[in-house]
């Protein structure tokens, strides 16, 4: 009976993989796993295998899987009203916006459908601000090498990875790349045309590099001196992941514009960009920007509930506590294991630099029942749901060690 069952499931797995490979454009090399269900911090595949999840769908599922309260809120909204367009007001987004703005410390929010679109909006707001101020349009933006901001043409233009950018050129003009954590390299690029400096507070895709406090503070001082807008991309590092609601709060360096996405909907596709009062008053006005779906009632219900749970459960405090233990255990591993040369990160956004092929470690971890992902060329990225406990860190360590030793 059990083997029969297993056979059917295996056939199903192959069918699903084949259906995707024959129909979906091949832009991803996927792992041969069909994920079927999630519960808490565990995922289950179509063959009944159980995985401890330290990837969270790329830092999205911060409340894990099957959160009753979040799921109920979303389901109730599905039955009430999913979409209205932005030509009308709706109640869920009113609640969500109030909570999001309060948590952000900024003044206004615009909801998008993804992180990429949040970056697009941030770039447009910065350009419009400079245009109103100066009356001309040839402004420049300084972005960082090794950064990642998304795949649309605008977001790609500010992404510091030539391999992603080059085939799609020409991209936006007036983008210059400085070296992350090198203040002098930023200063060298600043001129009278510079309207914004954009960076991730903690670089994610590039290999988990937190900003140095002196660097971020130096950039902020430069921005204030020259009326340049500081744009912080908190799409991956924000929403509690680093131990404060937003990573910039750890540094005490407030951006003029901030982008968010990934965990802001905990599985529902939504992003946002936030503006300070000064930028909001002198940038985008009716007719300048829009979106059909952005901030619809469905995502509003999710975002509202996510912020409510984060506040009530004080998720950032939990991240600080578990994150400290996580850091300690990873430091031990870096000291003991030859294949691990460095640990970097903040809170529950951690990276291990490896001397062995990181893709192989990821596959071996899967065989141990652990899901982890990569960042950059040689970094193992650990971005678990923020609700993990110390026991999950221990379980992860056991499985990761087994993967590294096999
Ligand atoms: C994921 C990510 C993006 C792009 O977000 P999408 O939702 O995939 O469009 C932008 N910036 C950072 C820092 C990211 O991690």
């Amino acid at each position: 009976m059990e083997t029969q069952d297993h056979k059917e499931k295996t056939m199903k797995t192959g069918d699903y993989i084949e259906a995707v490979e024959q129909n979906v454009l091949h832009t991803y090399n996927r792992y041969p796993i069909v994920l079927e269900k999630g519960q808490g911090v565990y995922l289950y595949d179509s063959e009944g295998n159980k995985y401890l999840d330290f990837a969270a769908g790329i830092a999205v599922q911060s409340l894990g899987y099957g959160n009753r309260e979040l799921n109920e809120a979303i389901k109730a909204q599905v039955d009430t009203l999913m979409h209205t367009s932005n030509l009308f007001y709706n109640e869920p987004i009113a609640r969500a916006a109030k909570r999001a703005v309060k948590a952000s410390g900024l003044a206004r929010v615009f909801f998008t459908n993804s992180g990429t679109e949040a970056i697009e909006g941030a770039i447009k707001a910065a350009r419009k601000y400079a245009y109103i101020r100066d009356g001309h349009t040839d402004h420049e933006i300084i972005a960082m090498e090794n950064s990642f901001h998304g795949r649309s043409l605008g977001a790609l233009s500010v992404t510091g990875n030539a391999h992603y950018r080059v085939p799609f050129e020409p991209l936006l003009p007036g983008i210059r790349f400085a070296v992350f954590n090198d203040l002098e390299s930023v200063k060298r690029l600043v001129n009278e045309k510079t309207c914004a400096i954009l960076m991730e507070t903690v670089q994610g895709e590039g290999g988990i590099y937190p900003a140095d406090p002196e660097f971020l503070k130096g950039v902020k001082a430069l921005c204030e001196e020259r009326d340049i807008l500081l744009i912080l991309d908190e799409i991956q590092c924000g929403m509690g992941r680093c131990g404060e609601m937003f990573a910039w709060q750890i540094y005490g360096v407030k951006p003029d514009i901030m982008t968010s996405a990934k965990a802001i909907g905990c599985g529902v596709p939504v992003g946002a960009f936030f503006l300070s009062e000064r930028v909001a008053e002198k940038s985008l006005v009716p007719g300048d920007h829009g979106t059909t779906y952005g901030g619809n009632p469905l995502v509003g219900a999710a975002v509202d509930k996510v912020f409510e749970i984060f506040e009530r459960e004080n998720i950032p405090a939990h991240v600080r506590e578990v994150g400290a233990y996580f850091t300690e255990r990873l430091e031990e591993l870096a000291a003991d294991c030859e294949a691990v040369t460095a640990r970097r990160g903040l809170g529950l956004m951690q990276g291990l630099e490896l001397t062995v092929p990181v893709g192989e470690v990821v596959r071996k971890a899967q065989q141990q029942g652990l899901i982890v992902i990569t960042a950059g060329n040689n970094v193992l990225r650990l971005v678990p749901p923020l609700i993990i406990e110390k026991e999950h860190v221990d379980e992860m360590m056991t499985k990761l060690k087994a993967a590294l030793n096999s």
Side-chain angles (χ1 to χ4, degrees):
M1 196 63 205
E2 220 178 274
T3 44
Q4 183 65 31
D5 220 44
H6 180 75
K7 213 167 144 197
E8 270 173 31
K9 281 184 167 168
T10 305
M11 278 177 62
K12 230 170 47 177
T13 300
D15 289 348
Y16 293 149
I17 290 173
E18 200 178 298
V20 169
E21 290 307 332
Q22 286 185 355
N23 295 288
V24 176
L25 186 67
H26 190 89
T27 60
Y28 279 95
N29 290 317
R30 293 174 160 83
Y31 301 112
I33 293 174
V34 177
L35 292 174
E36 226 170 49
K37 168 178 108 165
Q39 193 53 51
V41 297
Y42 293 95
L43 284 165
Y44 300 83
D45 71 14
S46 54
E47 313 212 340
N49 298 308
K50 180 181 179 182
Y51 303 90
L52 175 64
D53 179 23
F54 264 57
I58 318 186
V60 168
Q61 298 286 345
S62 286
L63 297 174
Y65 303 91
N67 182 293
R68 273 286 274 283
E69 205 184 337
L70 176 61
N71 290 4
E72 293 303 328
I74 294 168
K75 283 186 233 174
Q77 195 58 47
V78 167
D79 286 336
T80 310
L81 181 65
M82 277 204 271
H83 182 77
T84 55
S85 88
N86 280 306
L87 302 176
F88 301 91
Y89 295 94
N90 73 76
E91 192 219 330
I93 210 64
R95 286 187 270 119
K98 215 165 154 178
R99 287 189 197 277
V101 163
K102 183 167 170 246
S104 76
L106 295 169
R108 294 283 191 283
V109 62
F110 181 102
F111 288 103
T112 66
N113 310 293
S114 67
T116 298
E117 287 165 274
I119 292 291
E120 297 289 328
I123 293 172
K124 281 181 71 176
R127 280 188 164 186
K128 183 77 193 292
Y129 176 86
Y131 173 70
I132 292 174
R133 184 191 57 199
D134 301 341
H136 59 82
T137 56
D138 57 342
H139 291 97
E140 295 182 354
I141 293 173
I142 298 173
M144 299 297 143
E145 294 286 359
N146 198 46
S147 62
F148 182 83
H149 300 290
R151 303 293 199 147
S152 66
L153 293 171
L156 207 49
S157 302
V158 291
T159 287
N161 181 329
H163 177 75
Y164 290 167
R165 262 196 339 262
V166 170
F168 306 101
E169 288 174 349
L171 297 171
L172 286 185
I175 310 295
R176 291 158 166 268
F177 289 97
V179 178
F180 190 59
N181 282 335
D182 179 346
L183 187 57
E184 287 310 311
S185 81
V186 179
K187 285 185 176 167
R188 275 198 293 276
L189 296 181
V190 169
N191 61 39
E192 67 289 346
K193 291 183 181 175
T194 310
C195 72
I197 300 176
L198 162 66
M199 71 178 86
E200 296 151 88
T201 318
V202 180
Q203 288 190 334
E205 305 293 319
I208 316 292
Y209 291 92
D212 290 340
E214 313 78 64
F215 173 71
L216 194 51
K217 285 177 184 152
V219 169
K220 174 74 179 176
L222 192 61
C223 287
E224 282 181 342
E225 202 181 296
R226 312 275 304 239
D227 196 19
I228 294 167
L229 300 179
L230 176 62
I231 308 175
L232 291 180
D233 181 347
E234 292 257 348
I235 289 168
Q236 190 163 157
C237 63
M239 289 305 293
R241 180 150 297 279
C242 293
E244 291 288 346
M245 201 60 205
F246 293 99
W248 62 261
Q249 291 162 336
I250 297 167
Y251 297 83
V253 173
K254 196 171 182 170
D256 302 291
I257 303 177
M258 173 176 77
T259 56
S260 180
K262 292 199 162 87
I264 198 173
C266 281
V268 169
V270 52
F273 62 94
F274 297 81
L275 307 177
S276 69
E277 191 75 54
R278 172 171 65 109
V279 180
E281 273 176 7
K282 292 183 204 145
S283 61
L284 303 174
V285 296
D288 278 343
H289 200 52
T291 161
T292 299
Y293 278 138
N296 81 8
L298 178 64
V299 303
V303 171
D304 175 46
K305 189 53 83 176
V306 166
F307 275 106
E308 184 191 329
I309 295 170
F310 267 68
E311 281 165 33
R312 192 187 62 225
E313 311 281 327
N314 199 348
I315 301 281
H318 179 73
V319 170
R320 288 195 290 278
E321 192 193 327
V322 182
Y325 180 69
F326 191 27
T327 303
E328 210 175 283
R329 296 298 314 268
L330 292 175
E331 285 291 347
E332 275 168 35
L333 184 70
D336 295 348
C337 178
E338 242 174 64
V340 182
T341 49
R343 178 212 65 87
R344 286 189 299 269
L346 295 171
L348 292 178
M349 181 174 184
Q350 298 283 340
L352 292 175
E353 208 169 282
L354 303 185
T355 56
V356 293
V358 64
E360 257 171 59
V361 175
V362 166
R363 276 183 287 274
K364 284 183 174 155
Q366 288 164 2
Q367 285 157 17
Q368 300 293 328
L370 170 67
I371 292 193
V372 287
I373 51 178
T374 66
N377 292 327
N378 60 342
V379 176
L380 193 74
R381 175 166 33 166
L382 304 158
V383 285
L386 304 184
I387 57 166
I388 59 159
E389 300 291 346
K390 288 177 185 170
E391 72 206 51
H392 301 119
V393 173
D394 292 339
E395 186 185 342
M396 190 281 293
M397 293 303 296
T398 305
K399 290 179 162 157
L400 181 59
K401 278 182 194 162
L404 284 165
N405 290 331
S406 69

